[in-house]
Amino acid sequence: MAVDNPHTEVNGRPTVEARDPEGSGEEEAQDDSANQASASSSKKKKSNKKKKKSSSSSAANDHPTSSIDSSLTMPSGIEQHYFDPVKGKGLLATRDFAEGETVFTDSAFVSAPPMAQAKKVAGGELCNACFQPVDGAGVGRNTGCKGKDCQAVWCNRECESRGRTAHHNVLCKGNNPAIVPFVNFMSTHPFLSLHSVARLYARILLCHSPTPPESLIKPSRPATVEETLGHTSAFASISELVRRKRNPGWEVEKQAFELTFKEALKLLKEGMDPYDEARIARGEQGGIRGKGKWTVNPDFPRDVAQQLFGWEGFMRSLGRANLNMESQGSLYCIHSHLNHSCAPNLSTQHPPSQRGIRQATKLKLMANKPIKAGEELLITYQDPSQSVTRRNLLLWREHIFGPCECPRCEKEMGELDEEERERLKRFEMTSEDKEEVKLRRKQAETLQKEGEKRAAGEKDLRGLEEELRETLGF
Ligand SMILES: [Zn+2]
Ligand SMILES: [Zn+2]
Ligand SMILES: [Zn+2]
């Protein structure tokens, strides 16, 4: 499988999260013209293919693991294929495709609003399900959530039903008041991966509810917890801590990262864990009660809750989101199988809706050259205009694989001089990285100091902290 990676490499910044806020800023706003949906495969951020069989071996902990999702119905013309334990899974063409032909389309399994749009989604300008502007959806068609303090709106009843059953019934401040601190935390900590994890968790919980989301396997039937966990575990995953270790500057960021994400997990548990102590004390019996009715039925599988809301499970969920999120922030079951090449044969678009607006939650994969039956389908996880050394460094750091063995890399590596080739093998820091480390060290120190002052009861420095966080990227 491909570990997609979320980060378009923009300016050589090492962390993925660093690009959450920025990365989405650089994506065109959804209300931009449809033609922006351009094909650039470079937008994609998928990653690699290393997956080993899910196992608990220690080697597996350092490499992404993934598996074939045999429950999925594949579009005609493509099939899943397991290569080997190192390369893992991928997609093959089962017939010829002409250049320009659509090879398949995919809809988001879990969507999260591009960070540039998150405030507008929360504030009721954009649909909470498809992230398109609601005001063009047609007079009288919009619907809005009536929950207290909730400004969610949808294009129409269909978007509302899809959004509520997939995530909103749990993430609604009105329906689930315990989620308010977490939702507020997300609005001040714009991490795309955190949004993605929250929506995935909500989806899993809602499968055990009176209002489950629709099954991907049998449309119009309710999805089960088991089915949803099956799709989830097929995605390449790795602990976010393992990913981050590869970033220059991690040792200076580590402490602040852990503080921030421990707080996030605490709030997430309080808002969502059916077995959170406070919930059990309120008599919620392993479920989540909203407005007198069950939002998540009692007796949600306890082992699943423990897994999701434990630190390790949470880190793995964040790592999975970061490896697999497409550039606009969603996770796709089929698209996530695609492996990387620096000279890919597919390009990716967000196709326009009937209103002519690019859809952040849909993908169209097109052949950018003639493809023969039996060929592997490939996209690029990194901006292909970068140098071979830069591409390989980022693939190694963000997608946890490499060196890339595509024909283009083979050729370009052959043209490097000895010293450059050696460096490529060792993935040494570039001078740019060293600058970055200095900057981060300084910022982390300031952040740390301010945190200590605040703990000592000094004035609220949240504004400064946020500013720093934004620069720091987490
Ligand atoms: Zn909508
Ligand atoms: Zn609501
Ligand atoms: Zn390559």
Side-chain angles (χ1 to χ4, degrees):
M1 114 87 71
V3 185
D4 336 21
N5 184 323
H7 320 301
T8 8
E9 180 50 20
V10 186
N11 54 4
R13 283 190 163 226
T15 49
V16 165
E17 290 288 5
R19 282 180 230 112
D20 282 351
E22 303 166 6
S24 35
E26 95 202 332
E27 300 293 339
E28 309 74 42
Q30 319 247 306
D31 42 3
D32 282 355
S33 63
N35 60 10
Q36 294 217 49
S38 85
S40 67
S41 40
S42 64
K43 263 200 183 131
K44 288 248 65 212
K45 337 183 124 204
K46 299 234 67 175
S47 149
N48 158 32
K49 16 191 136 209
K50 283 202 144 172
K51 79 194 175 215
K52 307 201 158 175
K53 280 220 140 161
S54 299
S55 84
S56 52
S57 79
S58 64
N61 292 335
D62 289 339
H63 293 281
T65 57
S66 67
S67 55
I68 293 263
D69 189 346
S70 52
S71 67
L72 290 177
T73 308
M74 300 304 282
S76 89
I78 64 173
E79 67 181 13
Q80 300 179 54
H81 182 76
Y82 184 79
F83 292 93
D84 59 56
V86 174
K87 180 167 176 173
K89 70 184 175 186
L91 294 182
L92 300 182
T94 57
R95 66 166 174 90
D96 295 355
F97 287 94
E99 182 174 347
E101 195 177 346
T102 298
V103 177
F104 69 93
T105 58
D106 206 357
S107 295
F109 166 56
V110 174
S111 61
M115 286 295 93
Q117 315 289 333
K119 279 208 165 78
K120 290 183 181 170
V121 172
E125 276 178 68
L126 301 178
C127 175
N128 191 267
C130 73
F131 313 138
Q132 302 229 346
V134 286
D135 57 9
V139 180
R141 302 190 67 208
N142 298 168
T143 58
C145 183
K146 297 184 178 65
K148 184 170 179 288
D149 295 332
C150 181
Q151 292 171 289
V153 291
W154 294 277
C155 300
N156 47 45
R157 296 215 164 274
E158 193 196 331
C159 277
E160 175 172 357
S161 163
R162 206 155 29 85
R164 280 192 179 281
T165 57
H167 49 81
H168 191 69
N169 284 346
V170 165
L171 289 170
C172 173
K173 291 179 176 180
N175 192 48
N176 178 17
I179 200 70
V180 172
F182 178 75
V183 171
N184 292 342
F185 180 91
M186 283 205 297
S187 70
T188 54
H189 296 77
F191 304 128
L192 192 50
S193 55
L194 188 57
H195 275 254
S196 173
V197 170
R199 284 193 172 207
L200 170 67
Y201 282 15
R203 184 185 182 98
I204 295 170
L205 292 169
L206 285 166
C207 289
H208 187 78
S209 83
T211 56
E214 193 175 85
S215 165
L216 299 191
I217 307 170
K218 296 181 188 135
S220 80
R221 302 277 289 277
T224 62
V225 173
E226 195 185 18
E227 177 200 329
T228 306
L229 291 175
H231 299 315
T232 304
S233 65
F235 283 95
S237 69
I238 194 164
S239 168
E240 183 63 4
L241 295 170
V242 173
R243 279 183 83 255
R244 280 174 179 267
K245 256 194 235 160
R246 296 193 170 194
N247 291 330
W250 168 239
E251 72 281 9
V252 296
E253 287 178 3
K254 188 166 185 273
Q255 203 175 355
F257 171 86
E258 286 186 355
L259 272 177
T260 302
F261 281 88
K262 284 199 165 139
E263 175 70 5
L265 177 58
K266 179 178 151 268
L267 300 177
L268 189 66
K269 266 178 72 63
E270 287 168 9
M272 271 197 204
D273 180 356
Y275 293 96
D276 177 66
E277 280 171 23
R279 285 196 185 282
I280 296 296
R282 286 199 297 270
E284 297 193 7
Q285 306 160 38
I288 297 178
R289 196 184 275 281
K291 297 202 162 172
K293 294 184 294 197
W294 290 108
T295 296
V296 173
N297 289 334
D299 298 323
F300 180 84
R302 187 186 280 266
D303 55 335
V304 175
Q306 280 168 344
Q307 181 71 28
L308 299 177
F309 298 101
W311 176 246
E312 269 179 36
F314 180 53
M315 284 295 110
R316 201 153 179 91
S317 298
L318 278 175
R320 183 189 300 113
N322 276 324
L323 282 177
N324 294 277
M325 276 188 296
E326 192 276 333
S327 65
Q328 294 277 308
S330 294
L331 299 177
Y332 295 84
C333 288
I334 301 172
H335 164 269
S336 65
H337 284 65
L338 290 164
N339 284 322
H340 165 89
S341 166
C342 303
N345 53 14
L346 295 185
S347 58
T348 311
Q349 272 192 10
H350 287 276
S353 67
Q354 285 177 342
R355 286 188 271 153
I357 305 165
R358 189 153 64 92
Q359 302 171 93
T361 57
K362 299 231 185 312
L363 284 183
K364 182 156 95 167
L365 283 296
M366 285 164 310
N368 62 19
K369 54 182 82 162
I371 298 173
K372 291 254 167 270
E375 260 181 63
E376 183 176 7
L377 300 169
L378 299 159
I379 55 172
T380 181
Y381 301 162
Q382 289 294 340
D383 177 353
S385 67
Q386 300 175 105
S387 71
V388 62
T389 46
R390 189 75 196 155
R391 293 197 309 269
N392 274 274
L393 175 71
L394 294 169
L395 288 167
W396 175 81
R397 197 185 273 163
E398 298 181 351
H399 307 276
I400 328 288
F401 92 106
C404 178
E405 289 171 352
C406 78
R408 189 179 154 201
C409 280
E410 206 164 294
K411 176 170 176 290
E412 292 176 11
M413 279 185 211
E415 292 162 359
L416 295 177
D417 64 34
E418 192 61 30
E419 193 189 326
E420 286 174 310
R421 215 172 312 145
E422 273 310 301
R423 205 188 74 190
L424 184 61
K425 279 189 213 145
R426 296 196 308 271
F427 297 108
E428 271 184 4
M429 284 185 199
T430 60
S431 54
E432 187 184 345
D433 288 337
K434 287 177 186 155
E435 280 307 302
E436 174 92 17
V437 173
K438 258 198 255 165
L439 177 70
R440 281 164 178 262
R441 176 165 287 135
K442 230 170 101 200
Q443 289 168 332
E445 280 165 8
T446 316
L447 187 57
Q448 193 68 34
K449 250 185 253 159
E450 299 306 348
E452 284 160 13
K453 276 193 207 159
R454 207 170 52 245
E458 294 194 11
K459 64 180 172 141
D460 184 1
L461 291 161
R462 177 182 290 201
L464 173 63
E465 179 179 336
E466 270 154 25
E467 198 182 301
L468 281 166
R469 249 184 233 302
E470 222 160 274
T471 345
L472 258 174
F474 61 83

